[in-house]
Coordinates of all heavy atoms in Angstrom, one line a residue:
M1 N 0.8 -1.2 0.0 CA 0.0 0.0 0.0 C 0.9 1.3 0.0 O 1.6 1.5 0.9 CB -0.9 0.0 1.2 CG -2.1 -0.8 1.1 SD -3.4 -0.2 0.0 CE -4.1 1.2 1.0
A2 N 0.8 2.0 -1.1 CA 1.6 3.2 -1.2 C 1.3 4.2 -0.1 O 2.2 4.9 0.4 CB 1.4 3.8 -2.6
F3 N 0.0 4.4 0.2 CA -0.4 5.4 1.2 C 0.3 5.1 2.5 O 0.9 6.1 3.1 CB -1.9 5.3 1.3 CG -2.5 6.3 2.3 CD1 -2.6 7.7 1.9 CD2 -2.9 5.9 3.6 CE1 -3.1 8.6 2.9 CE2 -3.3 6.8 4.5 CZ -3.4 8.2 4.1
I4 N 0.3 3.9 2.9 CA 0.9 3.5 4.2 C 2.4 3.8 4.2 O 3.0 4.4 5.1 CB 0.7 2.1 4.6 CG1 -0.8 1.9 5.0 CG2 1.6 1.6 5.7 CD1 -1.3 0.5 5.1
E5 N 3.0 3.5 3.0 CA 4.5 3.8 2.9 C 4.8 5.3 2.8 O 5.7 5.8 3.4 CB 5.0 3.0 1.7 CG 5.3 1.6 2.0 CD 5.2 0.7 0.8 OE1 5.4 1.1 -0.3 OE2 4.8 -0.5 1.0
D6 N 3.9 6.0 1.9 CA 4.1 7.4 1.7 C 4.1 8.2 3.1 O 4.9 9.1 3.2 CB 3.1 7.9 0.8 CG 3.3 7.5 -0.7 OD1 4.3 6.9 -0.9 OD2 2.4 7.7 -1.5
Y7 N 3.2 7.8 3.9 CA 3.0 8.5 5.1 C 3.6 7.8 6.3 O 3.5 8.2 7.5 CB 1.5 8.8 5.4 CG 1.0 9.8 4.4 CD1 0.3 9.5 3.2 CD2 1.2 11.2 4.6 CE1 -0.1 10.4 2.3 CE2 0.7 12.1 3.7 CZ 0.1 11.7 2.6 OH -0.4 12.6 1.7
R8 N 4.4 6.7 6.1 CA 5.1 6.0 7.1 C 4.2 5.6 8.3 O 4.5 5.8 9.5 CB 6.3 6.8 7.7 CG 7.3 7.1 6.6 CD 8.6 7.5 7.2 NE 9.5 8.1 6.3 CZ 10.6 8.9 6.6 NH1 10.9 9.0 7.9 NH2 11.4 9.3 5.7
L9 N 3.0 5.2 7.9 CA 2.0 4.9 9.0 C 2.4 3.6 9.7 O 1.9 3.4 10.9 CB 0.6 4.7 8.4 CG 0.0 5.9 7.7 CD1 -1.3 5.6 7.1 CD2 -0.1 7.1 8.7
D10 N 3.3 2.8 9.2 CA 3.8 1.6 9.9 C 4.7 2.0 11.1 O 5.1 1.2 11.9 CB 4.4 0.6 9.0 CG 5.5 1.2 8.1 OD1 5.7 2.5 8.2 OD2 6.1 0.5 7.3
E11 N 5.1 3.3 11.2 CA 5.9 3.8 12.3 C 5.0 4.1 13.6 O 5.5 4.2 14.7 CB 6.7 5.0 12.0 CG 7.8 4.8 11.0 CD 8.5 6.1 10.6 OE1 8.2 7.2 11.2 OE2 9.3 6.0 9.7
I12 N 3.7 4.0 13.4 CA 2.8 4.3 14.5 C 2.7 3.0 15.4 O 2.6 1.9 14.8 CB 1.4 4.6 14.0 CG1 1.4 6.0 13.3 CG2 0.3 4.6 15.1 CD1 0.1 6.4 12.7
K13 N 2.9 3.1 16.6 CA 2.9 2.0 17.6 C 2.0 2.2 18.7 O 1.7 3.3 19.2 CB 4.3 2.0 18.2 CG 5.2 1.0 17.4 CD 6.6 0.9 18.1 CE 6.5 1.0 19.6 NZ 7.8 0.8 20.3
N14 N 1.4 1.1 19.1 CA 0.6 1.1 20.4 C 1.5 0.8 21.5 O 1.9 -0.3 21.7 CB -0.6 0.1 20.2 CG -1.4 0.1 21.5 OD1 -1.3 0.9 22.4 ND2 -2.4 -0.8 21.5
E15 N 1.8 1.8 22.3 CA 2.7 1.7 23.4 C 2.3 0.8 24.5 O 3.0 0.3 25.3 CB 3.2 3.0 23.9 CG 3.9 3.8 22.8 CD 5.1 4.6 23.4 OE1 5.1 4.9 24.6 OE2 6.1 4.8 22.6
V16 N 0.9 0.7 24.6 CA 0.4 -0.2 25.7 C 0.8 -1.7 25.5 O 0.9 -2.4 26.4 CB -1.1 0.0 25.7 CG1 -1.8 -1.1 26.5 CG2 -1.5 1.4 26.3
E17 N 0.9 -2.1 24.2 CA 1.3 -3.4 23.9 C 2.6 -3.8 24.7 O 2.7 -4.9 25.2 CB 1.5 -3.6 22.4 CG 0.2 -3.7 21.6 CD 0.4 -3.9 20.1 OE1 1.5 -4.4 19.8 OE2 -0.4 -3.6 19.3
E18 N 3.6 -3.0 24.5 CA 4.9 -3.3 25.1 C 4.8 -3.5 26.6 O 5.3 -4.4 27.2 CB 5.8 -2.1 24.8 CG 7.2 -2.5 24.4 CD 8.0 -1.3 24.0 OE1 7.7 -0.7 22.9 OE2 8.9 -0.9 24.8
V19 N 4.0 -2.5 27.3 CA 3.8 -2.6 28.7 C 3.1 -3.9 29.1 O 3.4 -4.6 30.0 CB 3.0 -1.4 29.3 CG1 2.8 -1.5 30.8 CG2 3.8 -0.1 28.9
A20 N 2.1 -4.2 28.3 CA 1.2 -5.4 28.6 C 2.0 -6.7 28.5 O 1.9 -7.6 29.3 CB 0.0 -5.4 27.7
Y21 N 2.8 -6.7 27.4 CA 3.6 -7.9 27.2 C 4.6 -8.2 28.3 O 4.9 -9.3 28.7 CB 4.4 -7.8 25.8 CG 3.4 -7.8 24.6 CD1 3.9 -7.3 23.4 CD2 2.1 -8.3 24.6 CE1 3.1 -7.2 22.3 CE2 1.3 -8.2 23.6 CZ 1.8 -7.7 22.3 OH 0.9 -7.7 21.3
K22 N 5.3 -7.1 28.7 CA 6.3 -7.1 29.8 C 5.6 -7.6 31.0 O 6.1 -8.5 31.7 CB 6.9 -5.8 29.9 CG 8.2 -5.8 30.6 CD 9.1 -4.7 30.3 CE 10.1 -4.9 29.2 NZ 10.8 -3.7 28.7
E23 N 4.4 -7.1 31.3 CA 3.7 -7.5 32.5 C 3.3 -8.9 32.4 O 3.3 -9.7 33.4 CB 2.5 -6.5 32.7 CG 1.7 -6.7 33.9 CD 2.5 -6.4 35.2 OE1 3.5 -5.5 35.1 OE2 2.3 -7.0 36.2
L24 N 2.8 -9.3 31.2 CA 2.4 -10.7 31.0 C 3.6 -11.7 31.3 O 3.5 -12.7 32.0 CB 1.9 -10.9 29.6 CG 1.3 -12.3 29.2 CD1 0.1 -12.7 30.1 CD2 0.8 -12.3 27.8
E25 N 4.7 -11.3 30.7 CA 6.0 -12.1 30.9 C 6.3 -12.2 32.4 O 6.6 -13.4 32.9 CB 7.1 -11.5 30.1 CG 8.4 -12.3 30.2 CD 9.6 -11.6 29.5 OE1 9.5 -10.4 29.2 OE2 10.6 -12.3 29.2
T26 N 6.3 -11.1 33.1 CA 6.7 -11.1 34.5 C 5.7 -12.0 35.3 O 6.1 -12.7 36.2 CB 6.6 -9.6 35.0 OG1 7.4 -8.8 34.2 CG2 7.1 -9.5 36.5
Q27 N 4.4 -11.8 35.1 CA 3.4 -12.5 35.9 C 3.5 -14.0 35.6 O 3.4 -14.9 36.4 CB 2.0 -12.0 35.6 CG 1.9 -10.6 36.2 CD 0.4 -10.1 36.3 OE1 -0.4 -11.0 36.4 NE2 0.2 -8.8 36.3
L28 N 3.7 -14.4 34.2 CA 3.7 -15.8 33.9 C 5.0 -16.5 34.5 O 4.9 -17.7 34.9 CB 3.7 -15.9 32.4 CG 2.4 -15.8 31.6 CD1 2.6 -15.9 30.2 CD2 1.4 -16.8 32.1
A29 N 6.0 -15.7 34.6 CA 7.3 -16.3 35.2 C 7.1 -16.7 36.7 O 7.8 -17.5 37.2 CB 8.4 -15.2 35.0
K30 N 6.1 -16.0 37.3 CA 5.9 -16.3 38.7 C 5.0 -17.5 38.9 O 4.9 -18.0 40.1 CB 5.3 -15.1 39.4 CG 6.2 -13.9 39.5 CD 5.5 -12.7 40.2 CE 6.4 -11.5 40.1 NZ 5.6 -10.2 40.3
I31 N 4.3 -18.0 37.9 CA 3.4 -19.1 38.0 C 4.2 -20.4 37.5 O 4.8 -20.4 36.5 CB 2.2 -18.9 37.1 CG1 1.5 -17.6 37.5 CG2 1.2 -20.1 37.3 CD1 0.4 -17.1 36.6
P32 N 4.2 -21.4 38.4 CA 4.9 -22.7 38.0 C 4.3 -23.2 36.7 O 3.1 -23.2 36.6 CB 4.6 -23.6 39.2 CG 4.3 -22.7 40.4 CD 3.6 -21.5 39.8
D33 N 5.2 -23.8 35.9 CA 4.7 -24.3 34.5 C 3.7 -25.4 34.7 O 2.8 -25.4 33.9 CB 5.9 -24.9 33.8 CG 6.8 -23.8 33.2 OD1 6.5 -22.6 33.3 OD2 7.9 -24.1 32.7
E34 N 3.7 -26.1 35.8 CA 2.7 -27.3 35.9 C 1.3 -26.7 36.3 O 0.4 -27.4 36.3 CB 3.2 -28.3 36.9 CG 3.5 -27.9 38.3 CD 5.0 -27.5 38.4 OE1 5.6 -27.1 37.4 OE2 5.5 -27.5 39.6
D35 N 1.3 -25.5 36.8 CA 0.0 -24.9 37.3 C -1.0 -24.5 36.2 O -2.2 -24.7 36.3 CB 0.2 -23.8 38.2 CG 0.7 -24.2 39.6 OD1 0.9 -25.4 39.7 OD2 0.8 -23.4 40.5
I36 N -0.4 -23.9 35.1 CA -1.2 -23.5 34.0 C -0.6 -23.8 32.6 O 0.6 -24.0 32.6 CB -1.6 -21.9 34.0 CG1 -0.3 -21.0 33.8 CG2 -2.3 -21.5 35.3 CD1 -0.6 -19.6 33.5
C37 N -1.4 -23.8 31.6 CA -0.8 -24.0 30.2 C -0.2 -22.7 29.7 O -0.8 -21.6 29.8 CB -1.9 -24.5 29.3 SG -1.3 -24.8 27.6
K38 N 1.1 -22.8 29.3 CA 1.8 -21.7 28.7 C 2.1 -21.9 27.2 O 3.1 -21.4 26.8 CB 3.1 -21.4 29.5 CG 2.8 -21.0 31.0 CD 4.1 -20.7 31.7 CE 3.8 -20.4 33.2 NZ 5.1 -20.2 33.9
C39 N 1.2 -22.6 26.6 CA 1.4 -22.8 25.1 C 1.3 -21.5 24.3 O 0.7 -20.6 24.9 CB 0.6 -24.0 24.6 SG -1.1 -23.5 24.3
I40 N 1.7 -21.5 23.1 CA 1.6 -20.2 22.3 C 0.2 -19.8 22.2 O -0.2 -18.6 22.4 CB 2.2 -20.5 20.9 CG1 3.7 -20.6 21.0 CG2 1.8 -19.3 19.9 CD1 4.4 -21.0 19.7
D41 N -0.8 -20.7 21.9 CA -2.2 -20.4 21.8 C -2.7 -19.7 23.0 O -3.4 -18.7 23.0 CB -3.0 -21.6 21.5 CG -2.8 -22.1 20.1 OD1 -2.3 -21.4 19.3 OD2 -3.2 -23.2 19.8
C42 N -2.4 -20.3 24.2 CA -2.9 -19.7 25.5 C -2.3 -18.3 25.8 O -3.1 -17.4 26.1 CB -2.7 -20.6 26.6 SG -3.8 -22.1 26.6
V43 N -1.0 -18.2 25.5 CA -0.4 -16.9 25.9 C -0.8 -15.8 24.9 O -1.1 -14.7 25.3 CB 1.2 -17.1 25.9 CG1 1.9 -15.7 26.1 CG2 1.6 -18.0 27.0
Q44 N -1.0 -16.2 23.6 CA -1.5 -15.2 22.7 C -2.9 -14.8 23.1 O -3.3 -13.6 22.9 CB -1.5 -15.8 21.3 CG -0.2 -15.9 20.6 CD -0.1 -16.4 19.2 OE1 -1.1 -17.0 18.8 NE2 0.9 -16.1 18.5
D45 N -3.7 -15.7 23.5 CA -5.1 -15.5 24.0 C -5.1 -14.6 25.1 O -5.9 -13.7 25.2 CB -5.7 -16.9 24.3 CG -7.0 -17.1 23.6 OD1 -7.2 -16.5 22.5 OD2 -7.9 -17.8 24.1
M46 N -4.2 -14.8 26.1 CA -4.1 -14.0 27.3 C -3.7 -12.5 26.9 O -4.3 -11.6 27.4 CB -3.0 -14.5 28.2 CG -3.3 -15.8 28.9 SD -1.8 -16.5 29.7 CE -2.4 -18.1 30.2
A47 N -2.8 -12.4 25.9 CA -2.4 -11.1 25.5 C -3.6 -10.4 24.8 O -3.8 -9.2 25.1 CB -1.2 -11.2 24.5
C48 N -4.3 -11.1 23.9 CA -5.4 -10.4 23.2 C -6.5 -10.0 24.2 O -7.1 -8.9 24.2 CB -6.1 -11.4 22.2 SG -5.0 -11.7 20.7
F49 N -6.8 -11.0 25.1 CA -7.8 -10.7 26.1 C -7.5 -9.5 27.0 O -8.4 -8.6 27.2 CB -8.0 -11.9 27.0 CG -9.3 -11.9 27.8 CD1 -10.5 -12.3 27.2 CD2 -9.3 -11.6 29.1 CE1 -11.7 -12.2 27.9 CE2 -10.5 -11.5 29.9 CZ -11.7 -11.9 29.2
A50 N -6.2 -9.4 27.4 CA -5.8 -8.2 28.1 C -5.9 -6.9 27.3 O -6.4 -5.9 27.8 CB -4.4 -8.5 28.7
L51 N -5.3 -7.0 26.1 CA -5.2 -5.7 25.3 C -6.5 -5.2 24.9 O -6.7 -4.0 24.7 CB -4.3 -6.0 24.0 CG -2.8 -6.1 24.3 CD1 -2.1 -6.6 23.0 CD2 -2.2 -4.8 24.7
N52 N -7.5 -6.1 24.7 CA -8.8 -5.6 24.3 C -9.5 -4.8 25.4 O -10.5 -4.1 25.2 CB -9.7 -6.8 23.9 CG -9.4 -7.2 22.4 OD1 -9.0 -6.4 21.6 ND2 -9.6 -8.5 22.2
Q53 N -9.0 -5.0 26.7 CA -9.6 -4.3 27.8 C -8.8 -3.0 28.1 O -9.3 -2.2 29.0 CB -9.6 -5.2 29.0 CG -10.5 -6.4 28.9 CD -10.3 -7.3 30.1 OE1 -10.8 -7.0 31.1 NE2 -9.5 -8.4 29.9
I54 N -7.7 -2.8 27.5 CA -6.9 -1.6 27.8 C -7.0 -0.6 26.7 O -6.8 -1.0 25.5 CB -5.4 -2.0 28.0 CG1 -5.3 -3.1 29.1 CG2 -4.6 -0.8 28.4 CD1 -3.9 -3.8 29.1
K55 N -7.3 0.6 27.0 CA -7.3 1.7 26.0 C -5.9 1.8 25.3 O -4.9 2.0 26.0 CB -7.7 3.0 26.7 CG -8.0 4.2 25.8 CD -8.5 5.4 26.6 CE -8.4 6.6 25.8 NZ -7.3 7.5 26.3
P56 N -6.0 1.8 24.0 CA -4.7 1.9 23.3 C -4.1 3.3 23.4 O -4.8 4.3 23.5 CB -5.0 1.5 21.9 CG -6.5 1.8 21.7 CD -7.1 1.6 23.1
R57 N -2.7 3.4 23.2 CA -2.1 4.7 23.2 C -1.1 4.6 22.0 O 0.0 4.2 22.1 CB -1.3 4.9 24.5 CG -2.1 5.5 25.5 CD -1.6 5.4 26.9 NE -2.6 5.8 27.9 CZ -3.7 5.1 28.1 NH1 -3.8 4.0 27.7 NH2 -4.5 5.6 29.0
Y58 N -1.6 5.2 20.9 CA -0.8 5.2 19.7 C 0.1 6.5 19.7 O -0.3 7.5 20.0 CB -1.7 5.2 18.4 CG -2.4 3.8 18.3 CD1 -3.7 3.6 18.7 CD2 -1.7 2.8 17.8 CE1 -4.3 2.4 18.5 CE2 -2.2 1.5 17.6 CZ -3.5 1.3 18.0 OH -4.2 0.1 17.8
T59 N 1.4 6.2 19.4 CA 2.3 7.3 19.2 C 3.2 7.1 18.0 O 3.4 6.0 17.6 CB 3.2 7.3 20.5 OG1 3.9 6.1 20.6 CG2 2.4 7.7 21.7
V60 N 3.9 8.2 17.6 CA 4.8 8.1 16.5 C 6.1 8.8 16.8 O 7.1 8.3 16.5 CB 4.1 8.6 15.2 CG1 3.8 10.0 15.2 CG2 5.0 8.2 14.0
S61 N 6.0 10.0 17.5 CA 7.2 10.8 17.7 C 7.8 10.4 19.1 O 7.2 9.8 19.9 CB 6.9 12.2 17.7 OG 6.1 12.6 18.8
L62 N 9.1 10.8 19.2 CA 9.7 10.6 20.5 C 9.0 11.3 21.6 O 8.9 10.9 22.7 CB 11.2 11.0 20.4 CG 12.1 10.6 21.5 CD1 12.2 9.1 21.6 CD2 13.5 11.2 21.3
L63 N 8.6 12.5 21.3 CA 7.9 13.4 22.2 C 6.6 12.7 22.7 O 6.4 12.6 23.9 CB 7.7 14.7 21.6 CG 7.4 15.9 22.6 CD1 8.7 16.3 23.3 CD2 6.8 17.1 21.9
G64 N 5.9 12.2 21.7 CA 4.7 11.5 22.1 C 4.9 10.3 22.9 O 4.2 10.0 23.8
S65 N 6.1 9.7 22.6 CA 6.4 8.5 23.3 C 6.8 8.8 24.8 O 6.3 8.0 25.7 CB 7.7 7.9 22.6 OG 8.2 6.8 23.3
L66 N 7.5 9.9 25.0 CA 7.8 10.2 26.4 C 6.5 10.6 27.2 O 6.3 10.2 28.3 CB 8.8 11.4 26.4 CG 10.2 11.1 26.0 CD1 11.0 12.4 25.9 CD2 10.8 10.3 27.0
Y67 N 5.7 11.4 26.5 CA 4.4 11.8 27.1 C 3.6 10.5 27.5 O 3.1 10.4 28.6 CB 3.6 12.6 26.1 CG 2.2 12.9 26.6 CD1 2.0 13.9 27.6 CD2 1.1 12.2 26.0 CE1 0.7 14.2 28.0 CE2 -0.2 12.5 26.5 CZ -0.3 13.5 27.5 OH -1.6 13.8 27.9
T68 N 3.5 9.6 26.6 CA 2.8 8.3 26.8 C 3.4 7.6 27.9 O 2.7 7.0 28.7 CB 2.7 7.5 25.6 OG1 2.2 8.3 24.5 CG2 1.8 6.3 25.8
R69 N 4.7 7.5 28.0 CA 5.4 6.8 29.0 C 5.0 7.3 30.5 O 4.8 6.4 31.3 CB 6.9 6.8 28.9 CG 7.6 5.7 29.5 CD 9.0 5.5 28.8 NE 8.9 5.2 27.5 CZ 9.8 5.5 26.6 NH1 10.8 6.3 26.9 NH2 9.7 5.2 25.3
V70 N 5.0 8.6 30.6 CA 4.6 9.2 31.9 C 3.1 8.8 32.2 O 2.8 8.4 33.2 CB 4.8 10.7 31.9 CG1 4.2 11.4 33.1 CG2 6.2 11.1 31.7
E71 N 2.3 9.0 31.2 CA 0.9 8.6 31.3 C 0.7 7.2 31.6 O -0.1 6.8 32.5 CB 0.2 9.0 30.0 CG -1.3 9.2 30.2 CD -2.0 9.3 28.8 OE1 -1.4 8.9 27.8 OE2 -3.1 9.7 28.8
T72 N 1.5 6.3 31.0 CA 1.3 4.9 31.2 C 1.8 4.5 32.5 O 1.2 3.5 33.1 CB 2.2 4.2 30.1 OG1 1.8 4.6 28.8 CG2 2.1 2.7 30.2
E73 N 2.8 5.1 33.1 CA 3.3 4.8 34.4 C 2.1 4.7 35.5 O 2.1 3.9 36.3 CB 4.4 5.7 34.9 CG 5.7 5.0 34.7 CD 6.9 5.9 34.9 OE1 6.9 6.7 35.8 OE2 7.8 5.9 34.0
S74 N 1.2 5.7 35.4 CA 0.1 5.8 36.3 C -0.9 4.7 36.0 O -1.7 4.3 36.8 CB -0.6 7.1 36.2 OG -1.2 7.3 35.0
L75 N -0.8 4.0 34.9 CA -1.7 2.9 34.5 C -1.1 1.6 34.6 O -1.9 0.6 34.4 CB -2.2 3.2 33.0 CG -3.2 4.3 32.8 CD1 -3.3 4.6 31.4 CD2 -4.5 4.1 33.5
I76 N 0.1 1.5 35.0 CA 0.7 0.2 35.1 C 0.0 -0.7 36.1 O -0.2 -2.0 35.8 CB 2.2 0.3 35.4 CG1 2.9 0.7 34.1 CG2 2.8 -1.0 35.9 CD1 4.5 0.8 34.3
E77 N -0.5 -0.1 37.2 CA -1.3 -0.9 38.1 C -2.5 -1.5 37.5 O -2.9 -2.7 37.7 CB -1.6 -0.1 39.3 CG -1.8 -0.9 40.6 CD -2.1 -0.1 41.8 OE1 -1.3 0.9 42.0 OE2 -2.9 -0.4 42.6
D78 N -3.2 -0.7 36.7 CA -4.4 -1.2 36.0 C -4.1 -2.3 35.1 O -4.8 -3.3 35.0 CB -5.1 0.0 35.2 CG -5.7 1.0 36.2 OD1 -5.9 0.7 37.3 OD2 -6.0 2.1 35.7
I79 N -3.0 -2.1 34.3 CA -2.6 -3.0 33.3 C -2.2 -4.4 34.0 O -2.6 -5.4 33.5 CB -1.4 -2.5 32.4 CG1 -1.9 -1.4 31.5 CG2 -0.8 -3.6 31.6 CD1 -0.8 -0.7 30.8
S80 N -1.6 -4.2 35.1 CA -1.2 -5.4 35.9 C -2.4 -6.2 36.3 O -2.4 -7.4 36.3 CB -0.3 -4.9 37.1 OG -0.4 -5.8 38.1
K81 N -3.4 -5.5 36.8 CA -4.7 -6.2 37.2 C -5.4 -6.8 36.0 O -5.9 -8.0 36.2 CB -5.6 -5.2 37.8 CG -5.3 -4.9 39.3 CD -6.4 -3.9 39.8 CE -5.8 -3.1 41.0 NZ -6.4 -1.8 41.2
V82 N -5.4 -6.2 34.9 CA -6.1 -6.7 33.7 C -5.3 -8.0 33.2 O -6.0 -9.0 32.9 CB -6.2 -5.6 32.6 CG1 -6.6 -6.3 31.2 CG2 -7.1 -4.5 32.9
V83 N -4.0 -7.9 33.2 CA -3.2 -9.0 32.8 C -3.4 -10.2 33.8 O -3.6 -11.4 33.3 CB -1.7 -8.6 32.7 CG1 -0.8 -9.9 32.6 CG2 -1.4 -7.7 31.6
A84 N -3.4 -10.0 35.1 CA -3.7 -11.0 36.1 C -5.0 -11.7 35.8 O -5.1 -12.9 35.9 CB -3.6 -10.4 37.5
S85 N -6.1 -10.9 35.6 CA -7.3 -11.5 35.4 C -7.4 -12.3 34.0 O -8.1 -13.3 33.9 CB -8.5 -10.5 35.5 OG -8.5 -9.7 34.4
S86 N -6.7 -11.8 33.0 CA -6.6 -12.5 31.7 C -5.9 -13.8 31.9 O -6.4 -14.8 31.3 CB -5.9 -11.6 30.7 OG -6.5 -10.4 30.6
I87 N -4.8 -13.9 32.6 CA -4.1 -15.1 32.8 C -5.1 -16.2 33.5 O -5.2 -17.3 33.1 CB -2.9 -14.9 33.7 CG1 -1.8 -14.1 32.9 CG2 -2.3 -16.3 34.2 CD1 -0.6 -13.7 33.7
Q88 N -5.8 -15.7 34.5 CA -6.7 -16.5 35.3 C -7.8 -17.1 34.4 O -8.1 -18.2 34.3 CB -7.3 -15.7 36.5 CG -7.8 -16.6 37.5 CD -8.4 -15.8 38.7 OE1 -8.6 -14.6 38.6 NE2 -8.6 -16.5 39.8
K89 N -8.4 -16.1 33.6 CA -9.6 -16.5 32.8 C -9.2 -17.5 31.7 O -9.8 -18.5 31.5 CB -10.1 -15.2 32.2 CG -11.2 -15.5 31.1 CD -12.3 -14.6 31.2 CE -13.4 -14.9 30.1 NZ -14.7 -15.2 30.5
I90 N -8.1 -17.2 31.0 CA -7.7 -18.1 29.9 C -7.2 -19.4 30.4 O -7.5 -20.4 29.8 CB -6.6 -17.4 29.0 CG1 -7.1 -16.0 28.4 CG2 -6.2 -18.3 27.8 CD1 -8.4 -16.1 27.6
S91 N -6.5 -19.4 31.5 CA -5.9 -20.7 32.0 C -7.0 -21.5 32.5 O -6.9 -22.8 32.5 CB -4.8 -20.4 33.0 OG -5.4 -19.8 34.2
Q92 N -8.1 -20.9 32.9 CA -9.2 -21.7 33.5 C -10.1 -22.2 32.3 O -10.8 -23.2 32.4 CB -10.1 -21.0 34.5 CG -9.4 -20.9 35.8 CD -10.1 -19.9 36.8 OE1 -11.0 -19.3 36.5 NE2 -9.4 -19.8 38.0
N93 N -10.1 -21.5 31.2 CA -10.9 -21.8 30.0 C -10.1 -21.8 28.7 O -10.4 -20.9 27.9 CB -12.1 -20.8 29.9 CG -12.9 -20.6 31.2 OD1 -13.7 -21.4 31.5 ND2 -12.6 -19.6 31.8
P94 N -9.1 -22.7 28.6 CA -8.3 -22.7 27.3 C -9.2 -23.1 26.2 O -10.1 -23.8 26.3 CB -7.2 -23.7 27.7 CG -7.7 -24.5 28.8 CD -8.7 -23.8 29.6
L95 N -8.8 -22.5 25.0 CA -9.5 -22.8 23.8 C -9.4 -24.3 23.4 O -10.3 -24.9 22.9 CB -9.1 -21.9 22.6 CG -9.6 -20.5 22.7 CD1 -9.0 -19.7 21.5 CD2 -11.1 -20.4 22.7
H96 N -8.2 -24.8 23.7 CA -8.0 -26.3 23.5 C -8.4 -27.1 24.7 O -8.7 -26.5 25.7 CB -6.5 -26.5 23.1 CG -5.6 -26.0 24.2 ND1 -5.5 -26.6 25.5 CD2 -4.7 -25.0 24.2 CE1 -4.6 -26.0 26.2 NE2 -4.1 -25.0 25.5
S97 N -8.5 -28.4 24.5 CA -9.0 -29.2 25.7 C -7.9 -29.2 26.7 O -6.7 -29.2 26.4 CB -9.3 -30.6 25.2 OG -8.2 -31.2 24.5
K98 N -8.3 -29.3 28.0 CA -7.3 -29.4 29.1 C -6.6 -30.7 29.0 O -7.2 -31.7 28.8 CB -8.1 -29.2 30.4 CG -8.5 -27.8 30.6 CD -9.2 -27.6 32.0 CE -9.9 -26.3 32.0 NZ -10.6 -26.0 33.3
S99 N -5.3 -30.7 29.3 CA -4.5 -31.9 29.3 C -4.0 -32.2 30.7 O -3.9 -31.3 31.5 CB -3.3 -31.7 28.3 OG -2.5 -30.7 28.7
Ligands
ZN101 ZN1 -2.5 -23.9 26.0

């Protein structure tokens, strides 16, 4: 798509994704592997479930990025709660059959 390339729209990023992924990684690391399924399907599901509940923050410039980072810091606690409930929900109801 020339339009996307002409205007470098692929440089636009949702900064919340990074925070949510980091939080998901941290929280999953604290849960023993035998307690929940950590397969690709389940972890992708947890990420989608969490991200769909968090307001996105799209930025493109460094300035916007800094602004968002400050804003995001006050929301890390919210993101952490959303991620925790997503892990719980998906691990209790995986799309695949429980093994
Ligand atoms: Zn799984």
